[in-house]
Amino acid sequence: MRKTSEIGESLRIAVESLRMNLLRSILTTAGIVVGVVLVVVMGWTIGGLDAVWEQTISIIGKDMIYIDKWSWSGGGNWRLMEARKDITLRQAELLSQRMESAESVMPVVRLWSGSVVRGNTSLRCGILGTTTEYGKTSSAELNSGRFFTSIEDYQSAKVVILGEGVAKSLFSGEDPIGQSIKIISEPYRIIGVIKKRGFLFMDFVDNQVVIPLESFRSTVGMFERSVSIGIKTGSERMVDIVRTEAIGHMRSIRNVEPGQDNDFSINEMQAFDEQVKNIRIGIWTVGMGLTILAFVVGSIGIMNIMYVSVTERTREIGIRKAIGARRGSILLQFLIESSFLCVIGALIAFPIAQLIVGAARFVAVDLLDQAWASVVSPVIPVDLLMIAISVSVVIGLLAGLLPALKASRLDPVEALRYEQ
Amino acid sequence: MNRPIIEISNLVKRYEMGNEEVYALRDVSLTIGSNEYVAIMGPSGSGKSTLMNMLGCLDTPTAGTYFFNGQDVREMNDDDLAEIRNREIGFVFQTFNLLPRATALQNVELPLVYSGVGKAERQDRAKQALEKVQLSDRMTHRPNELSGGQRQRVAIARAIVTAPSIILADEPTGNLDTKTGHDIMALFRSLWEGGNTVILVTHEEDVARHARRIIRLRDGRIESDKVNPDA
Ligand SMILES: Nc1ncnc2c1ncn2[C@@H]1O[C@H](COP(=O)(O)OP(=O)(O)O)[C@@H](O)[C@H]1O
Ligand SMILES: [Mg+2]
């Protein structure tokens, strides 16, 4: 009860002294403003990065493991990988037969650039041959139509599922389903279109077409092509178990001697997590460094102004003490005032941060890809604002502590005698 | 004498100014009972303000004892003293000592803020106190919009709003013209008649005449302590 009335009084004083010294107070909060802007923009950037990464990871699927001759991440010895024997369709079949923990196993063969023609329009894009199981992976979520069946594969049916980019380029708005295109001069009937998944540097995934493996064999050919083996684990939790099992089988299928390194690479989206983590840490370190600097400068400013305020109000403190304010009351009054100043700083910072975030997003969407628009938040999330406010309050309490202690310890008689 | 509120004995207050020692109070013993009306007189520098600050628990003695309402003031810490000042003592100063940016009402409310009285009751009691000093029509005025006499009335309202055991006034008319001074003295008198204990400092014989008891200080000692024959 006593505390509530004192907090109310303290807030009244804080507002009053802010009004009295408006310009001075606002200038004092500059450091806090910069600090809060940095925190918020940094938080938003990391949030954006995470969202983009989530989206990227879902292109392939977190539950997918690919076994390839090459490592996707570009790590490892290039010459050594070059020297590896190709992975064959036969090996993919054997693995498929032996795997027990996986949901499905599918071979994937790729021609990175092949010609696709519709009437007078032609383009070059990736051509991908695989089995019907591929249709159940997140890489093949359809916008319309259907995926091919195992019978179509078996019969080497000339059916094709278009990537979103290809569909747009060739049909620009028309419904492609049922229409015909030529893939390396062979006519194919379009039965499905895959959802847009591509994103930033990953947007090649939309510029490919998917056909049955057997059709690929007849249209494109299998000569000197290493097969990529896709393994759908069924869930993220299963990835470790499935990977271990797959490595065991692959070593035995490819006759890798015990003690020797694998002669194939395991590719997972999870492997990139490490790199993303490093980027995050990079942003944090730089951002935090700048933020701490700004907050240190800011809190020195606040501390200074609070000392001035205590001196200016020595007599007022004397009066308050004479009529019964305890040390704690005076301490509270000045702590509330300094955190109030910092909160004002945060409130000034928010629109500035929002402007920066808005501009950054505008530039990013313009420069990179419209897909950003759907993933990266255009406004600063509320929890970030809450964090920023809490940080400001803490900074205010810390910066105000020494001046507030000084005020609370003033001798009432001397304070009353103080002349401005 | 009524129940004693203030009992001090052999009170000494010494200030150290560099190498020099100044004795503001040398050996003061004094008992003041409830519902007394005491004037403390003496030449400038005789220790009147020092004694008042001591009585008002604003300052602590160098030596001697002070019992306030039977409690030993020397054993109290800062917060206990603040509590006593808040609940038991109403202080009126020569220079009014109002908060310049607060309204009359807010100034009078202030002691109640520190005793934790809720807003509604606080305003009620502050309004009543302002009524007692005939300032109901100036509640929303700030000190610089009030005359000296009105400011001192606000200060008196602030002193009585907590219904304290004693009202201490250190030269309350010192900054006022004679006519206004008389009005203020009449107010103290009516407070005393209403049952309050009033102790005031003055160097005007004229002002002291209102009091029932006159204590004269000289060089930090009590020179005389007499019942006022004129009152
Ligand atoms: N804080 C202080 N430091 C040093 N000397 C003081 C202090 N306060 C009061 N004094 C001295 O104590 C004596 C009494 O002062 P005071 O009580 O203010 O007298 P009065 O109110 O009767 O004029 C004076 O000599 C004054 O100079
Ligand atoms: Mg004096």
Side-chain angles (χ1 to χ4, degrees):
Chain A
M1 192 58 199
R2 172 191 281 168
K3 279 284 167 277
T4 39
S5 58
E6 281 180 18
I7 288 171
E9 170 73 7
S10 299
L11 278 173
R12 200 186 61 72
I13 299 165
V15 173
E16 176 188 288
S17 83
L18 179 77
R19 264 217 315 259
M20 291 293 297
N21 307 299
L22 194 60
L23 189 63
R24 183 179 91 181
S25 310
I26 285 174
L27 288 178
T28 319
T29 62
I32 304 298
V33 172
V34 173
V36 170
V37 167
L38 282 170
V39 165
V40 170
V41 170
M42 185 172 67
W44 176 81
T45 307
I46 288 175
L49 181 73
D50 285 348
V52 168
W53 179 237
E54 259 326 290
Q55 183 81 359
T56 308
I57 231 170
S58 70
I59 292 173
I60 309 269
K62 272 189 180 171
D63 66 338
M64 287 300 290
I65 297 173
Y66 277 91
I67 296 178
D68 294 277
K69 181 173 167 180
W70 301 95
S71 163
W72 291 354
S73 59
N77 187 325
W78 182 81
R79 279 183 187 287
L80 233 87
M81 288 196 279
E82 167 93 272
R84 286 172 176 174
K85 283 196 208 120
D86 285 345
I87 296 172
T88 63
L89 276 174
R90 175 73 193 138
Q91 289 168 358
E93 250 162 63
L94 284 173
L95 183 66
S96 174
Q97 282 161 19
R98 294 186 193 176
M99 281 300 289
E100 284 177 348
S101 56
E103 190 181 299
S104 61
V105 176
M106 69 218 69
V108 178
V109 287
R110 259 194 200 87
L111 177 65
W112 284 106
S113 176
S115 88
V116 173
V117 180
R118 181 210 177 199
N120 304 327
T121 333
S122 82
L123 54 82
R124 297 191 73 81
C125 69
I127 297 165
L128 201 142
T130 185
T131 57
T132 187
E133 283 81 8
Y134 187 83
K136 296 206 179 66
T137 68
S138 55
S139 306
E141 276 178 40
L142 298 181
N143 230 355
S144 60
R146 61 175 180 86
F147 206 73
F148 59 78
T149 63
S150 56
I151 295 168
E152 283 169 324
D153 183 18
Y154 180 74
Q155 292 174 336
S156 181
K158 301 296 180 283
V159 290
V160 62
I161 292 97
L162 302 185
E164 192 260 0
V166 177
K168 205 181 258 171
S169 303
L170 293 182
F171 293 92
S172 58
E174 273 177 75
D175 183 12
I177 307 288
Q179 308 233 37
S180 197
I181 54 169
K182 273 186 181 156
I183 299 175
I184 318 185
S185 5
E186 266 201 87
Y188 272 76
R189 185 166 52 88
I190 298 162
I191 58 169
V193 176
I194 298 173
K195 272 187 190 158
K196 174 160 179 66
R197 298 167 297 134
F199 203 0
L200 298 179
F201 49 93
M202 294 293 276
D203 77 342
F204 66 88
V205 297
D206 293 319
N207 286 313
Q208 57 186 17
V209 298
V210 183
I211 57 179
L213 187 64
E214 290 309 314
S215 315
F216 188 95
R217 194 197 292 279
S218 67
T219 303
V220 184
M222 290 301 293
F223 178 65
E224 274 198 353
R225 212 172 293 285
S226 185
V227 174
S228 174
I229 307 175
I231 305 174
K232 189 169 195 293
T233 63
S235 78
E236 261 182 81
R237 279 182 302 118
M238 290 298 290
V239 170
D240 286 337
I241 295 167
V242 171
R243 186 196 306 114
T244 310
E245 196 197 346
I247 291 173
H249 292 319
M250 279 307 282
R251 286 177 70 92
S252 108
I253 289 168
R254 285 166 69 88
N255 300 314
V256 180
E257 299 289 333
Q260 275 189 294
D261 290 340
N262 294 339
D263 66 346
F264 50 88
S265 293
I266 301 289
N267 291 312
E268 297 166 17
M269 286 316 271
Q270 276 185 336
F272 291 97
D273 268 348
E274 198 60 32
Q275 278 162 294
V276 172
K277 216 180 274 166
N278 286 338
I279 297 174
R280 282 182 71 129
I281 291 172
I283 297 176
W284 264 113
T285 327
V286 175
M288 271 325 243
L290 291 173
T291 307
I292 288 171
L293 190 74
F295 277 144
V296 166
V297 172
S299 47
I300 290 173
I302 297 277
M303 185 158 82
N304 223 29
I305 213 70
M306 290 309 294
Y307 269 126
V308 171
S309 178
V310 169
T311 307
E312 283 176 350
R313 281 148 67 187
T314 300
R315 206 182 165 87
E316 177 198 315
I317 295 163
I319 295 172
R320 290 179 186 275
K321 286 199 152 193
I323 61 169
R326 274 159 313 235
R327 279 189 179 187
S329 323
I330 302 293
L331 191 75
L332 182 77
Q333 174 188 330
F334 282 93
L335 286 181
I336 284 184
E337 185 170 334
S338 64
S339 17
F340 183 79
L341 265 181
C342 289
V343 169
I344 294 287
L347 293 181
I348 296 174
F350 289 162
I352 299 176
Q354 177 61 61
L355 237 91
I356 292 175
V357 161
R361 188 170 170 282
F362 184 78
V363 171
V365 169
D366 204 49
L367 227 60
L368 302 166
D369 197 310
Q370 278 300 319
W372 264 71
S374 60
V375 180
V376 180
S377 153
V379 291
I380 302 162
V382 176
D383 49 355
L384 252 176
L385 300 186
M386 294 310 214
I387 290 172
I389 292 261
S390 322
V391 169
S392 314
V393 170
V394 171
I395 301 274
L397 292 178
L398 290 177
L401 189 61
L402 289 178
L405 276 173
K406 182 188 170 191
S408 74
R409 288 178 180 157
L410 285 178
D411 178 68
V413 177
E414 272 167 35
L416 278 173
R417 204 181 286 140
Y418 183 85
E419 300 288 342
Q420 256 86 350
Chain B
M1 187 188 285
N2 291 332
R3 177 179 60 85
I5 295 180
I6 287 169
E7 298 163 277
I8 59 179
S9 41
N10 311 108
L11 209 67
V12 175
K13 182 68 185 182
R14 185 179 65 229
Y15 290 107
E16 260 135 60
M17 308 266 290
N19 294 333
E20 222 182 318
E21 287 186 335
V22 179
Y23 280 85
L25 294 176
R26 284 170 197 274
D27 182 17
V28 176
S29 300
L30 184 63
T31 303
I32 296 172
S34 121
N35 200 20
E36 279 203 67
Y37 189 174
V38 183
I40 297 176
M41 300 195 67
S44 178
S46 58
K48 303 183 297 292
S49 292
T50 307
L51 179 59
M52 286 298 265
N53 290 341
M54 221 65 71
L55 296 182
C57 294
L58 275 172
D59 209 348
T60 45
T62 312
T65 57
Y66 178 15
F67 284 85
F68 184 91
N69 268 340
Q71 291 169 279
D72 190 347
V73 172
R74 285 178 313 174
E75 311 215 308
M76 295 184 188
N77 63 25
D78 257 31
D79 282 358
D80 297 333
L81 292 175
E83 186 112 13
I84 295 272
R85 291 198 293 269
N86 184 238
R87 293 178 190 278
E88 308 291 348
I89 293 163
F91 230 116
V92 179
F93 303 89
Q94 179 176 355
T95 51
F96 320 132
N97 280 337
L98 298 175
L99 297 185
R101 288 188 284 278
T103 63
L105 187 67
Q106 286 169 330
N107 266 294
V108 178
E109 274 182 62
L110 205 56
L112 300 176
V113 166
Y114 291 115
S115 41
V117 176
K119 194 174 174 72
E121 187 190 338
R122 211 157 71 205
Q123 286 189 342
D124 263 13
R125 285 168 63 178
K127 279 176 192 166
Q128 283 171 25
L130 280 167
E131 254 165 53
K132 276 198 194 149
V133 299
Q134 286 118 43
L135 270 185
S136 301
D137 53 342
R138 293 286 187 279
M139 289 197 294
T140 58
H141 291 232
R142 282 167 219 283
N144 64 358
E145 299 160 345
L146 296 170
S147 71
Q150 287 171 328
R151 287 182 211 184
Q152 197 58 301
R153 283 170 194 275
V154 175
I156 292 168
R158 182 180 67 185
I160 61 174
V161 74
T162 54
S165 305
I166 52 171
I167 295 163
L168 299 174
D170 190 353
E171 304 203 35
T173 59
N175 276 11
L176 304 175
D177 60 64
T178 319
K179 159 84 174 66
T180 317
H182 276 125
D183 293 346
I184 293 296
M185 289 317 296
L187 188 54
F188 277 115
R189 190 187 176 88
S190 75
L191 288 175
W192 168 66
E193 283 165 355
N196 282 291
T197 311
V198 177
I199 304 171
L200 58 83
V201 166
T202 180
H203 51 252
E204 294 169 55
E205 295 291 343
D206 193 33
V207 170
R209 205 167 300 133
H210 288 268
R212 289 299 156 128
R213 176 179 169 192
I214 300 177
I215 297 172
R216 290 179 197 275
L217 289 185
R218 186 175 292 275
D219 289 338
R221 288 183 217 276
I222 294 182
E223 191 184 48
S224 70
D225 182 349
K226 289 181 190 141
V227 173
N228 182 8
D230 300 343

